[in-house]
Amino acid sequence: MIPRIRTIAALALILVTGCSAAEKPPVQMKPLVLKEQASTVAKSADGYVVNWAGVLVNSNPWHFGEHVVATVVGRDAKGAEVVHMDQPLDAVPPAGTLAFTGQAMASAKPVKVTIEYRSTQWRQAARVPSSLRKFPVSKVQTFKQKGGAYLITGEVGNPYVLPASSLVISALLRDKAGKLLAGASTFVDDVQAGKAPRFILTVEGLPPSAQVAKTDVVARTWGATGRPYEELALGGAVPMHTVKPTTAPFAKDRGRQVLPGESKP
């Protein structure tokens, strides 16, 4: 009887385990959303310079959106395609955004520029998303140039112990209502912990009627995957408070209330 009882128990365990595995729902990933996009067209000696900026949103709290490709298409007044460019983008962090910019040349003037994206691959973050800290940007200044371009300067820091080999700095120009007008990007290499190297970039192509009221500047790791970001997080963050207190310690505890039944010291 004992072997029979053991056999029945084993079969029951297999059935329960199989049902639990079958009932586990697959992870449904929410697609990236192109929250904002803007473009500008400026005449040049070789044709037309087309600049664009966009913001992708990843609402998945535990997964990176990797190997994303943006497709930028510009059409002239007759609907003919005069610009077509596939732009590989950096990884979009979990529950985060990706600001990106780009530039292309066109022989004819496009009157409409659209941005779409494709080729998203999802990968669960190897680190807790809360460990993926933002790269602090400070001392941002925006200067309008005589030719209508905007010069943006500032400093970028590294909140991690390990040095960041390369960071992408993206500046987005907005009007009073917060609408995205244009943007541009640059790179800063070898950002050491405790240092704040300066960056400088130029946003061009805005029409004279553009009213820039605000500049948003963000920094991120460079690459189609989130590995560089995770490697920095794996190395640990720089402690927020590193200065030793200068005041003398208290001679005794301040006014601790004695609980009932407890003797005073």
Short mmCIF file of all heavy atoms in Angstrom, two decimals, residues 8 45 81 120 129 143 204 252 261:
data_model
loop_
_atom_site.label_atom_id
_atom_site.label_comp_id
_atom_site.label_asym_id
_atom_site.label_seq_id
_atom_site.Cartn_x
_atom_site.Cartn_y
_atom_site.Cartn_z
N ILE A 8 0.43 7.91 -5.97
CA ILE A 8 -0.71 8.81 -6.11
C ILE A 8 -0.32 10.23 -5.70
O ILE A 8 -0.67 11.21 -6.35
CB ILE A 8 -1.89 8.30 -5.26
CG1 ILE A 8 -2.40 6.96 -5.82
CG2 ILE A 8 -3.01 9.33 -5.22
CD1 ILE A 8 -3.47 6.31 -4.96
N ALA A 45 23.64 75.85 -48.30
CA ALA A 45 24.28 75.93 -49.61
C ALA A 45 24.10 74.65 -50.42
O ALA A 45 24.10 74.69 -51.65
CB ALA A 45 25.77 76.24 -49.43
N GLU A 81 8.70 61.78 -51.51
CA GLU A 81 9.63 61.57 -50.41
C GLU A 81 10.99 62.16 -50.74
O GLU A 81 11.64 61.75 -51.71
CB GLU A 81 9.74 60.07 -50.12
CG GLU A 81 10.49 59.73 -48.86
CD GLU A 81 10.47 58.24 -48.58
OE1 GLU A 81 9.42 57.73 -48.13
OE2 GLU A 81 11.50 57.58 -48.85
N THR A 120 11.62 47.20 -31.65
CA THR A 120 11.82 47.21 -30.20
C THR A 120 12.01 45.79 -29.69
O THR A 120 11.23 44.90 -29.99
CB THR A 120 10.61 47.84 -29.49
OG1 THR A 120 10.35 49.12 -30.05
CG2 THR A 120 10.87 47.97 -28.00
N PRO A 129 15.10 48.82 -10.85
CA PRO A 129 14.99 50.09 -11.58
C PRO A 129 15.30 51.33 -10.73
O PRO A 129 15.79 52.33 -11.24
CB PRO A 129 13.53 50.09 -12.06
CG PRO A 129 13.21 48.64 -12.21
CD PRO A 129 13.91 47.96 -11.09
N PHE A 143 21.47 80.75 -24.90
CA PHE A 143 21.77 82.05 -25.51
C PHE A 143 21.29 82.04 -26.96
O PHE A 143 21.62 81.12 -27.72
CB PHE A 143 23.28 82.34 -25.49
CG PHE A 143 23.89 82.26 -24.12
CD1 PHE A 143 24.52 81.09 -23.69
CD2 PHE A 143 23.86 83.35 -23.25
CE1 PHE A 143 25.10 81.01 -22.44
CE2 PHE A 143 24.43 83.28 -22.00
CZ PHE A 143 25.06 82.10 -21.59
N GLU A 204 19.76 74.60 -34.23
CA GLU A 204 19.60 75.46 -35.39
C GLU A 204 18.29 75.17 -36.11
O GLU A 204 17.62 74.16 -35.84
CB GLU A 204 20.77 75.26 -36.36
CG GLU A 204 22.14 75.56 -35.77
CD GLU A 204 23.25 75.26 -36.74
OE1 GLU A 204 23.09 74.33 -37.56
OE2 GLU A 204 24.29 75.95 -36.69
N LYS A 252 24.63 63.58 26.38
CA LYS A 252 23.67 62.54 26.75
C LYS A 252 22.45 62.65 25.85
O LYS A 252 22.27 63.63 25.13
CB LYS A 252 23.26 62.67 28.21
CG LYS A 252 22.56 63.97 28.54
CD LYS A 252 22.14 64.01 30.01
CE LYS A 252 21.40 65.32 30.34
NZ LYS A 252 20.97 65.35 31.74
N GLY A 261 7.05 51.41 34.09
CA GLY A 261 7.70 50.16 34.46
C GLY A 261 9.18 50.13 34.16
O GLY A 261 9.86 49.15 34.46
#
